[in-house]
Amino acid sequence: MTTEPTTTASFDAAHPVDDRYTPPPCGELDEIQAAFADGRLSGGGPVLSVYEMALAAWFGVKRAIAVNSGSSALHATLVALDVRPGTEVLVPATAPLPTAMPILTCGATPVIVDTLPGSLALDPADIEAKLTPRTRAAITLPLWGYPADNHATEALLSEARVPVIEDACQAHGTRVRGHYAGTRVTAGCFSTHDRKLLATGEGGFVLTNDEALADRIDHYTHLGHLRGLTHGVNYKLAAPLAAIGLRRLRHLGDQLRHRRANAHRLVETVAPGGRLRELGYGPDDTPNYYNLVLVADHDAPAVAATFAAAGLPPDSVRYGYRPLYHQPIFSRYAAACRNAERLATTTFQLPVHPAMSEAPLQWVAEQLAAINARSHTP
Ligand SMILES: *Cc1c(COP(=O)(O)O)cnc(C)c1O
Protein backbone atom coordinates (compact mmCIF):
# COMPACT_ATOMS: atom_id res chain seq x y z
CA MET A 1 0.00 0.00 0.00
CA THR A 2 1.31 3.39 -0.93
CA THR A 3 1.65 5.94 1.84
CA GLU A 4 2.94 8.79 -0.33
CA PRO A 5 0.38 11.44 -1.23
CA THR A 6 -0.41 11.08 -4.91
CA THR A 7 -2.24 13.42 -7.21
CA THR A 8 -4.14 11.72 -9.97
CA ALA A 9 -6.23 14.66 -11.16
CA SER A 10 -4.62 16.58 -13.98
CA PHE A 11 -4.80 20.37 -14.03
CA ASP A 12 -7.93 21.72 -15.65
CA ALA A 13 -7.99 25.48 -16.13
CA ALA A 14 -11.81 25.53 -16.30
CA HIS A 15 -12.04 23.87 -12.85
CA PRO A 16 -8.61 24.65 -11.45
CA VAL A 17 -9.18 23.85 -7.79
CA ASP A 18 -11.37 21.25 -6.21
CA ASP A 19 -12.12 22.29 -2.64
CA ARG A 20 -12.85 18.66 -1.83
CA TYR A 21 -9.93 16.58 -0.56
CA THR A 22 -9.78 12.80 -0.70
CA PRO A 23 -6.70 11.49 1.10
CA PRO A 24 -4.68 8.89 -0.80
CA PRO A 25 -4.99 5.27 0.40
CA CYS A 26 -2.85 4.70 3.50
CA GLY A 27 -3.67 1.11 4.44
CA GLU A 28 -7.22 1.65 5.71
CA LEU A 29 -8.23 -1.64 4.08
CA ASP A 30 -5.75 -3.57 6.23
CA GLU A 31 -7.33 -2.04 9.30
CA ILE A 32 -10.88 -2.76 8.09
CA GLN A 33 -9.82 -6.32 7.28
CA ALA A 34 -8.65 -6.74 10.86
CA ALA A 35 -12.10 -5.59 12.04
CA PHE A 36 -13.71 -8.14 9.70
CA ALA A 37 -11.39 -10.89 10.93
CA ASP A 38 -12.57 -10.09 14.45
CA GLY A 39 -16.17 -10.15 13.21
CA ARG A 40 -17.56 -7.50 15.57
CA LEU A 41 -18.51 -4.61 13.32
CA SER A 42 -20.67 -2.66 15.75
CA GLY A 43 -19.59 0.18 17.97
CA GLY A 44 -18.81 -2.48 20.57
CA GLY A 45 -15.93 -3.88 18.50
CA PRO A 46 -12.44 -3.94 20.04
CA VAL A 47 -11.04 -1.41 17.55
CA LEU A 48 -13.14 1.30 19.23
CA SER A 49 -11.10 1.45 22.42
CA VAL A 50 -7.86 1.31 20.41
CA TYR A 51 -9.07 4.24 18.30
CA GLU A 52 -10.17 6.22 21.36
CA MET A 53 -6.82 5.67 23.07
CA ALA A 54 -4.98 6.72 19.90
CA LEU A 55 -7.07 9.92 19.70
CA ALA A 56 -6.47 10.77 23.37
CA ALA A 57 -2.71 10.20 22.93
CA TRP A 58 -2.46 12.22 19.70
CA PHE A 59 -4.26 15.23 21.19
CA GLY A 60 -2.71 14.86 24.65
CA VAL A 61 -5.93 14.52 26.68
CA LYS A 62 -7.16 12.01 29.23
CA ARG A 63 -10.22 10.80 27.38
CA ALA A 64 -11.64 10.51 23.88
CA ILE A 65 -15.14 9.20 23.16
CA ALA A 66 -15.80 8.18 19.56
CA VAL A 67 -19.31 8.84 18.24
CA ASN A 68 -21.14 8.65 14.91
CA SER A 69 -20.94 12.38 13.98
CA GLY A 70 -19.73 15.79 15.06
CA SER A 71 -23.37 16.74 15.64
CA SER A 72 -23.71 13.77 18.02
CA ALA A 73 -20.51 14.84 19.78
CA LEU A 74 -21.96 18.32 20.38
CA HIS A 75 -25.40 17.06 21.38
CA ALA A 76 -24.07 14.42 23.80
CA THR A 77 -21.71 16.95 25.40
CA LEU A 78 -24.50 19.48 25.88
CA VAL A 79 -26.73 16.80 27.45
CA ALA A 80 -23.91 15.68 29.75
CA LEU A 81 -23.58 19.32 30.91
CA ASP A 82 -27.30 19.33 31.76
CA VAL A 83 -28.37 21.56 28.89
CA ARG A 84 -32.16 21.09 28.61
CA PRO A 85 -35.36 23.11 28.16
CA GLY A 86 -35.21 26.27 30.27
CA THR A 87 -31.43 26.61 30.03
CA GLU A 88 -29.35 28.80 27.71
CA VAL A 89 -26.23 28.22 25.65
CA LEU A 90 -23.99 31.05 24.42
CA VAL A 91 -23.08 30.54 20.79
CA PRO A 92 -21.14 32.85 18.44
CA ALA A 93 -23.03 34.54 15.61
CA THR A 94 -20.33 33.14 13.32
CA ALA A 95 -21.71 29.62 13.91
CA PRO A 96 -22.85 27.63 10.89
CA LEU A 97 -26.04 25.56 11.36
CA PRO A 98 -24.34 22.32 12.55
CA THR A 99 -22.70 24.17 15.48
CA ALA A 100 -25.99 25.51 16.79
CA MET A 101 -28.59 22.88 15.87
CA PRO A 102 -27.62 20.57 18.77
CA ILE A 103 -28.75 23.35 21.17
CA LEU A 104 -32.23 23.12 19.64
CA THR A 105 -32.04 19.32 19.82
CA CYS A 106 -31.69 19.76 23.60
CA GLY A 107 -34.74 22.01 23.66
CA ALA A 108 -32.52 24.74 25.13
CA THR A 109 -32.29 28.41 24.08
CA PRO A 110 -29.38 29.60 21.94
CA VAL A 111 -28.11 33.01 23.03
CA ILE A 112 -26.23 34.47 20.10
CA VAL A 113 -23.07 36.39 21.00
CA ASP A 114 -20.91 38.65 18.85
CA THR A 115 -17.23 38.05 18.20
CA LEU A 116 -14.41 40.53 18.72
CA PRO A 117 -13.63 42.74 15.70
CA GLY A 118 -11.76 40.76 13.03
CA SER A 119 -11.72 37.67 15.22
CA LEU A 120 -13.58 34.41 15.84
CA ALA A 121 -13.27 34.81 19.64
CA LEU A 122 -16.42 35.56 21.66
CA ASP A 123 -16.68 39.21 22.71
CA PRO A 124 -16.33 39.34 26.54
CA ALA A 125 -18.48 42.50 26.82
CA ASP A 126 -21.32 40.84 24.93
CA ILE A 127 -20.98 37.69 27.08
CA GLU A 128 -21.13 39.78 30.22
CA ALA A 129 -24.36 41.38 28.97
CA LYS A 130 -25.91 38.02 28.08
CA LEU A 131 -24.88 35.75 31.00
CA THR A 132 -27.88 34.76 33.13
CA PRO A 133 -28.45 32.22 35.90
CA ARG A 134 -29.84 29.95 33.14
CA THR A 135 -26.55 29.97 31.13
CA ARG A 136 -25.44 26.35 31.16
CA ALA A 137 -22.61 26.36 28.57
CA ALA A 138 -20.74 28.45 25.99
CA ILE A 139 -19.61 27.22 22.59
CA THR A 140 -16.39 28.52 21.06
CA LEU A 141 -15.76 27.99 17.37
CA PRO A 142 -12.36 27.92 15.65
CA LEU A 143 -14.03 28.15 12.25
CA TRP A 144 -11.97 27.24 9.15
CA GLY A 145 -9.33 25.98 11.60
CA TYR A 146 -8.43 29.50 12.86
CA PRO A 147 -8.04 29.96 16.66
CA ALA A 148 -11.04 31.45 18.48
CA ASP A 149 -9.68 32.07 21.96
CA ASN A 150 -9.35 35.19 24.04
CA HIS A 151 -7.91 35.63 27.55
CA ALA A 152 -10.65 37.93 28.83
CA THR A 153 -13.45 35.69 27.52
CA GLU A 154 -11.85 32.62 29.04
CA ALA A 155 -11.44 34.32 32.43
CA LEU A 156 -15.00 35.63 32.40
CA LEU A 157 -16.56 32.24 31.61
CA SER A 158 -14.36 30.49 34.13
CA GLU A 159 -15.30 33.01 36.84
CA ALA A 160 -19.00 32.54 36.02
CA ARG A 161 -18.43 28.73 36.15
CA VAL A 162 -19.80 28.31 32.64
CA PRO A 163 -18.34 25.21 30.96
CA VAL A 164 -16.84 25.81 27.51
CA ILE A 165 -17.45 23.45 24.62
CA GLU A 166 -15.18 24.03 21.66
CA ASP A 167 -16.71 23.08 18.32
CA ALA A 168 -13.41 21.97 16.81
CA CYS A 169 -15.12 20.11 13.94
CA GLN A 170 -12.93 22.03 11.47
CA ALA A 171 -9.94 22.45 13.78
CA HIS A 172 -8.08 19.12 14.08
CA GLY A 173 -4.49 20.08 14.81
CA THR A 174 -5.07 23.84 15.13
CA ARG A 175 -2.68 25.07 17.82
CA VAL A 176 -3.78 27.69 20.33
CA ARG A 177 -1.10 29.03 22.66
CA GLY A 178 0.83 25.78 22.38
CA HIS A 179 -2.15 23.43 22.84
CA TYR A 180 -4.43 21.77 20.34
CA ALA A 181 -7.83 23.40 19.81
CA GLY A 182 -10.48 21.54 21.78
CA THR A 183 -8.09 20.40 24.52
CA ARG A 184 -7.92 23.43 26.87
CA VAL A 185 -11.68 23.70 27.34
CA THR A 186 -14.25 21.61 29.22
CA ALA A 187 -14.76 19.48 26.11
CA GLY A 188 -13.71 19.62 22.47
CA CYS A 189 -16.10 18.25 19.85
CA PHE A 190 -14.78 17.02 16.50
CA SER A 191 -16.30 15.69 13.30
CA THR A 192 -14.72 13.05 11.09
CA HIS A 193 -17.17 13.64 8.24
CA ASP A 194 -15.66 13.11 4.79
CA ARG A 195 -14.76 16.78 4.39
CA LYS A 196 -12.85 17.14 7.66
CA LEU A 197 -9.10 16.75 8.22
CA LEU A 198 -9.56 13.34 9.84
CA ALA A 199 -12.21 11.62 7.73
CA THR A 200 -14.07 8.37 8.37
CA GLY A 201 -17.04 9.06 6.07
CA GLU A 202 -19.34 9.96 8.94
CA GLY A 203 -18.15 10.15 12.54
CA GLY A 204 -16.94 12.32 15.37
CA PHE A 205 -15.39 12.32 18.83
CA VAL A 206 -15.29 14.26 22.07
CA LEU A 207 -12.06 15.09 23.92
CA THR A 208 -11.96 15.97 27.61
CA ASN A 209 -9.73 15.87 30.67
CA ASP A 210 -12.79 15.62 32.93
CA GLU A 211 -13.21 11.91 33.71
CA ALA A 212 -16.69 12.26 35.18
CA LEU A 213 -17.89 14.20 32.13
CA ALA A 214 -16.29 11.60 29.85
CA ASP A 215 -18.19 8.83 31.66
CA ARG A 216 -21.49 10.69 31.32
CA ILE A 217 -20.91 11.25 27.58
CA ASP A 218 -19.87 7.61 27.15
CA HIS A 219 -23.01 6.39 28.93
CA TYR A 220 -25.33 8.75 27.08
CA THR A 221 -23.96 7.79 23.65
CA HIS A 222 -24.07 4.03 24.46
CA LEU A 223 -27.74 3.74 25.58
CA GLY A 224 -26.63 4.03 29.19
CA HIS A 225 -24.70 0.77 28.58
CA LEU A 226 -28.14 -0.86 28.89
CA ARG A 227 -28.09 -0.77 32.65
CA GLY A 228 -31.40 1.04 32.83
CA LEU A 229 -29.99 3.60 35.26
CA THR A 230 -29.56 6.57 32.91
CA HIS A 231 -31.26 7.63 29.69
CA GLY A 232 -29.16 7.32 26.56
CA VAL A 233 -29.11 7.26 22.79
CA ASN A 234 -27.21 5.10 20.33
CA TYR A 235 -24.50 7.37 18.92
CA LYS A 236 -21.85 4.63 18.64
CA LEU A 237 -19.34 4.72 15.78
CA ALA A 238 -19.29 1.44 13.79
CA ALA A 239 -16.03 -0.56 13.96
CA PRO A 240 -15.05 -0.28 10.25
CA LEU A 241 -15.24 3.53 10.50
CA ALA A 242 -13.15 3.55 13.68
CA ALA A 243 -10.65 1.34 11.77
CA ILE A 244 -10.40 3.96 9.03
CA GLY A 245 -9.88 6.74 11.60
CA LEU A 246 -7.24 4.74 13.44
CA ARG A 247 -5.12 4.35 10.30
CA ARG A 248 -5.66 7.86 8.94
CA LEU A 249 -4.77 9.45 12.27
CA ARG A 250 -1.15 8.40 11.60
CA HIS A 251 -1.10 10.75 8.61
CA LEU A 252 -2.76 13.77 10.22
CA GLY A 253 0.61 15.35 11.09
CA ASP A 254 1.81 15.08 7.47
CA GLN A 255 -1.44 16.55 6.23
CA LEU A 256 -1.11 19.51 8.60
CA ARG A 257 2.46 20.20 7.43
CA HIS A 258 1.39 20.02 3.81
CA ARG A 259 -1.58 22.38 4.34
CA ARG A 260 0.61 24.87 6.21
CA ALA A 261 3.24 24.83 3.49
CA ASN A 262 0.59 25.45 0.81
CA ALA A 263 -0.99 28.24 2.87
CA HIS A 264 2.36 29.97 3.46
CA ARG A 265 3.16 29.78 -0.20
CA LEU A 266 -0.11 31.58 -1.04
CA VAL A 267 0.15 34.11 1.80
CA GLU A 268 3.58 35.12 0.46
CA THR A 269 1.99 36.18 -2.83
CA VAL A 270 -0.31 38.63 -1.02
CA ALA A 271 1.93 41.67 -0.75
CA PRO A 272 1.30 43.98 2.25
CA GLY A 273 -0.58 47.19 1.45
CA GLY A 274 -2.88 45.45 -1.05
CA ARG A 275 -6.52 44.58 -0.79
CA LEU A 276 -6.06 41.28 1.02
CA ARG A 277 -4.52 40.07 4.27
CA GLU A 278 -4.69 36.81 6.16
CA LEU A 279 -7.26 36.49 8.98
CA GLY A 280 -5.38 37.32 12.19
CA TYR A 281 -4.16 34.90 14.87
CA GLY A 282 -1.84 35.10 17.86
CA PRO A 283 1.96 34.70 17.76
CA ASP A 284 1.73 31.33 19.57
CA ASP A 285 -1.14 30.06 17.41
CA THR A 286 -1.11 27.97 14.23
CA PRO A 287 -4.20 27.42 12.09
CA ASN A 288 -4.64 23.91 10.66
CA TYR A 289 -5.58 25.43 7.31
CA TYR A 290 -8.85 23.64 6.90
CA ASN A 291 -9.05 26.72 4.66
CA LEU A 292 -6.70 29.60 4.11
CA VAL A 293 -8.80 32.64 5.07
CA LEU A 294 -8.10 36.07 3.60
CA VAL A 295 -9.81 39.32 4.56
CA ALA A 296 -10.59 42.42 2.48
CA ASP A 297 -10.97 45.49 4.68
CA HIS A 298 -12.35 47.58 1.81
CA ASP A 299 -14.59 46.84 -1.16
CA ALA A 300 -15.40 43.35 0.06
CA PRO A 301 -18.43 42.84 -2.24
CA ALA A 302 -16.31 43.65 -5.28
CA VAL A 303 -13.51 41.39 -4.06
CA ALA A 304 -16.04 38.59 -3.46
CA ALA A 305 -17.38 38.98 -6.99
CA THR A 306 -13.83 38.83 -8.37
CA PHE A 307 -13.05 35.66 -6.40
CA ALA A 308 -16.30 34.04 -7.54
CA ALA A 309 -15.68 35.01 -11.16
CA ALA A 310 -12.19 33.49 -10.93
CA GLY A 311 -13.73 30.16 -9.83
CA LEU A 312 -12.77 30.64 -6.16
CA PRO A 313 -16.13 31.41 -4.51
CA PRO A 314 -15.92 32.31 -0.80
CA ASP A 315 -18.13 30.39 1.66
CA SER A 316 -20.70 33.23 1.57
CA VAL A 317 -21.24 32.41 -2.11
CA ARG A 318 -20.46 28.68 -2.17
CA TYR A 319 -22.47 27.72 0.91
CA GLY A 320 -24.55 30.85 1.58
CA TYR A 321 -22.53 31.30 4.78
CA ARG A 322 -24.00 34.09 6.95
CA PRO A 323 -24.47 34.96 10.63
CA LEU A 324 -26.52 32.36 12.49
CA TYR A 325 -29.57 34.57 13.05
CA HIS A 326 -29.99 35.07 9.28
CA GLN A 327 -30.94 31.37 9.13
CA PRO A 328 -34.75 31.14 9.36
CA ILE A 329 -34.81 28.61 12.23
CA PHE A 330 -32.59 30.90 14.32
CA SER A 331 -34.17 34.26 13.40
CA ARG A 332 -36.23 34.33 16.60
CA TYR A 333 -32.94 34.44 18.56
CA ALA A 334 -31.62 37.38 16.50
CA ALA A 335 -29.21 39.82 18.17
CA ALA A 336 -27.31 42.41 16.16
CA CYS A 337 -23.72 41.16 15.94
CA ARG A 338 -21.85 43.66 13.83
CA ASN A 339 -18.42 42.04 14.04
CA ALA A 340 -19.73 38.63 13.00
CA GLU A 341 -21.68 40.24 10.15
CA ARG A 342 -18.52 41.90 8.96
CA LEU A 343 -16.46 38.72 9.27
CA ALA A 344 -19.01 36.73 7.24
CA THR A 345 -19.00 39.24 4.40
CA THR A 346 -15.30 40.21 4.27
CA THR A 347 -13.61 36.79 4.49
CA PHE A 348 -12.54 34.61 1.57
CA GLN A 349 -11.87 30.91 2.06
CA LEU A 350 -9.42 29.08 -0.17
CA PRO A 351 -8.55 25.38 -0.38
CA VAL A 352 -4.93 24.50 0.45
CA HIS A 353 -5.30 20.74 0.88
CA PRO A 354 -2.47 18.32 0.06
CA ALA A 355 -3.97 17.26 -3.29
CA MET A 356 -3.30 20.76 -4.64
CA SER A 357 -0.30 20.18 -6.83
CA GLU A 358 2.06 22.75 -8.28
CA ALA A 359 -0.14 23.83 -11.21
CA PRO A 360 -3.30 24.72 -9.24
CA LEU A 361 -1.24 26.31 -6.43
CA GLN A 362 0.58 28.47 -8.93
CA TRP A 363 -2.70 29.38 -10.59
CA VAL A 364 -4.30 30.39 -7.26
CA ALA A 365 -1.15 32.38 -6.35
CA GLU A 366 -1.49 34.33 -9.61
CA GLN A 367 -5.19 35.06 -8.99
CA LEU A 368 -4.40 36.25 -5.46
CA ALA A 369 -1.57 38.51 -6.57
CA ALA A 370 -3.86 40.08 -9.19
CA ILE A 371 -6.83 40.56 -6.83
CA ASN A 372 -4.56 41.92 -4.11
CA ALA A 373 -2.92 44.46 -6.42
CA ARG A 374 -6.15 45.84 -7.91
CA SER A 375 -6.76 49.32 -6.52
CA HIS A 376 -9.86 49.92 -4.45
CA THR A 377 -12.23 52.84 -4.40
CA PRO A 378 -11.33 55.03 -1.40
C1 LIG B 1 -18.91 19.44 10.21
C2 LIG B 1 -19.26 20.34 11.29
C3 LIG B 1 -20.16 19.98 12.31
C4 LIG B 1 -20.99 18.74 12.30
O1 LIG B 1 -20.30 17.57 12.09
P1 LIG B 1 -21.04 16.32 11.43
O2 LIG B 1 -20.07 15.19 11.59
O3 LIG B 1 -21.29 16.66 9.99
O4 LIG B 1 -22.30 16.08 12.18
C5 LIG B 1 -20.35 20.87 13.37
N1 LIG B 1 -19.71 22.05 13.40
C6 LIG B 1 -18.85 22.43 12.45
C7 LIG B 1 -18.14 23.74 12.58
C8 LIG B 1 -18.61 21.61 11.36
O5 LIG B 1 -17.75 22.01 10.41
Side-chain angles (χ1 to χ4, degrees), residues 166-311:
E166 187 138 78
D167 176 356
C169 285
Q170 298 183 0
H172 314 65
T174 292
R175 288 189 79 86
V176 185
R177 286 184 263 146
H179 298 262
Y180 285 122
T183 66
R184 289 181 72 258
V185 288
T186 308
C189 294
F190 294 75
S191 168
T192 59
H193 177 268
D194 225 25
R195 298 196 74 112
K196 311 299 161 99
L197 262 68
L198 180 64
T200 62
E202 299 282 356
F205 56 93
V206 182
L207 302 180
T208 183
N209 286 311
D210 180 335
E211 298 274 8
L213 178 65
D215 287 342
R216 290 202 300 282
I217 294 168
D218 181 66
H219 272 75
Y220 182 70
T221 54
H222 291 71
L223 294 162
H225 287 289
L226 298 178
R227 288 193 204 132
L229 298 172
T230 53
H231 170 240
V233 293
N234 181 1
Y235 280 172
K236 296 194 298 295
L237 182 67
L241 299 184
I244 294 173
L246 181 62
R247 183 58 70 109
R248 286 187 172 174
L249 184 60
R250 293 190 197 169
H251 300 273
L252 181 54
D254 284 340
Q255 191 190 148
L256 288 165
R257 279 186 285 280
H258 207 140
R259 283 176 183 267
R260 282 170 187 150
N262 286 351
H264 289 157
R265 162 101 190 268
L266 294 182
V267 169
E268 275 172 11
T269 67
V270 176
R275 280 173 136 188
L276 301 169
R277 61 177 173 85
E278 189 182 2
L279 182 64
Y281 53 89
D284 302 324
D285 299 344
T286 325
N288 70 352
Y289 291 106
Y290 178 90
N291 282 131
L292 167 64
V293 181
L294 300 175
V295 183
D297 294 308
H298 306 282
D299 270 357
V303 176
T306 314
F307 267 113

Side-chain angles (χ1 to χ4, degrees), residues 23-363:
C26 65
E28 298 96 327
L29 289 176
D30 298 347
E31 216 76 59
I32 293 173
Q33 211 149 30
F36 266 82
D38 173 79
R40 287 169 284 181
L41 301 185
S42 78
V47 68
L48 263 299
S49 56
V50 181
Y51 177 48
E52 288 177 338
M53 283 192 292
L55 287 169
W58 198 96
F59 286 92
V61 293
K62 285 190 187 150
R63 296 281 294 274
I65 304 105
V67 291
N68 59 5
S69 74
S71 302
S72 301
L74 287 161
H75 178 228
T77 304
L78 289 166
V79 168
L81 292 170
D82 202 24
V83 171
R84 52 186 161 75
T87 69
E88 297 170 355
V89 178
L90 302 171
V91 61
T94 48
L97 287 168
T99 300
M101 283 217 261
I103 305 170
L104 300 186
T105 312
C106 293
T109 305
V111 175
I112 301 175
V113 180
D114 205 1
T115 50
L116 286 165
S119 162
L120 290 158
L122 295 168
D123 173 6
D126 204 25
I127 290 179
E128 197 141 34
K130 288 172 181 170
L131 272 174
T132 76
R134 297 177 297 282
T135 310
R136 201 49 61 85
I139 296 177
T140 55
L141 174 66
L143 195 60
W144 311 303
Y146 279 71
D149 75 319
N150 172 267
H151 275 296
T153 302
E154 195 176 286
L156 188 65
L157 291 170
S158 149
E159 195 184 324
R161 297 184 178 280
V162 172
V164 177
I165 301 171
E166 187 138 78
D167 176 356
C169 285
Q170 298 183 0
H172 314 65
T174 292
R175 288 189 79 86
V176 185
R177 286 184 263 146
H179 298 262
Y180 285 122
T183 66
R184 289 181 72 258
V185 288
T186 308
C189 294
F190 294 75
S191 168
T192 59
H193 177 268
D194 225 25
R195 298 196 74 112
K196 311 299 161 99
L197 262 68
L198 180 64
T200 62
E202 299 282 356
F205 56 93
V206 182
L207 302 180
T208 183
N209 286 311
D210 180 335
E211 298 274 8
L213 178 65
D215 287 342
R216 290 202 300 282
I217 294 168
D218 181 66
H219 272 75
Y220 182 70
T221 54
H222 291 71
L223 294 162
H225 287 289
L226 298 178
R227 288 193 204 132
L229 298 172
T230 53
H231 170 240
V233 293
N234 181 1
Y235 280 172
K236 296 194 298 295
L237 182 67
L241 299 184
I244 294 173
L246 181 62
R247 183 58 70 109
R248 286 187 172 174
L249 184 60
R250 293 190 197 169
H251 300 273
L252 181 54
D254 284 340
Q255 191 190 148
L256 288 165
R257 279 186 285 280
H258 207 140
R259 283 176 183 267
R260 282 170 187 150
N262 286 351
H264 289 157
R265 162 101 190 268
L266 294 182
V267 169
E268 275 172 11
T269 67
V270 176
R275 280 173 136 188
L276 301 169
R277 61 177 173 85
E278 189 182 2
L279 182 64
Y281 53 89
D284 302 324
D285 299 344
T286 325
N288 70 352
Y289 291 106
Y290 178 90
N291 282 131
L292 167 64
V293 181
L294 300 175
V295 183
D297 294 308
H298 306 282
D299 270 357
V303 176
T306 314
F307 267 113
L312 296 166
D315 280 5
S316 55
V317 174
R318 202 192 286 268
Y319 302 116
Y321 173 68
R322 52 205 149 134
L324 184 61
Y325 48 82
H326 288 327
Q327 304 283 0
I329 57 169
F330 285 95
S331 61
R332 54 187 288 221
Y333 308 106
C337 294
R338 264 188 292 148
N339 298 330
E341 293 267 352
R342 196 170 158 73
L343 200 79
T345 52
T346 58
T347 48
F348 307 94
Q349 298 72 21
L350 297 162
V352 285
H353 56 71
M356 282 182 69
S357 57
E358 180 52 31
L361 260 184
Q362 182 55 33
W363 181 85

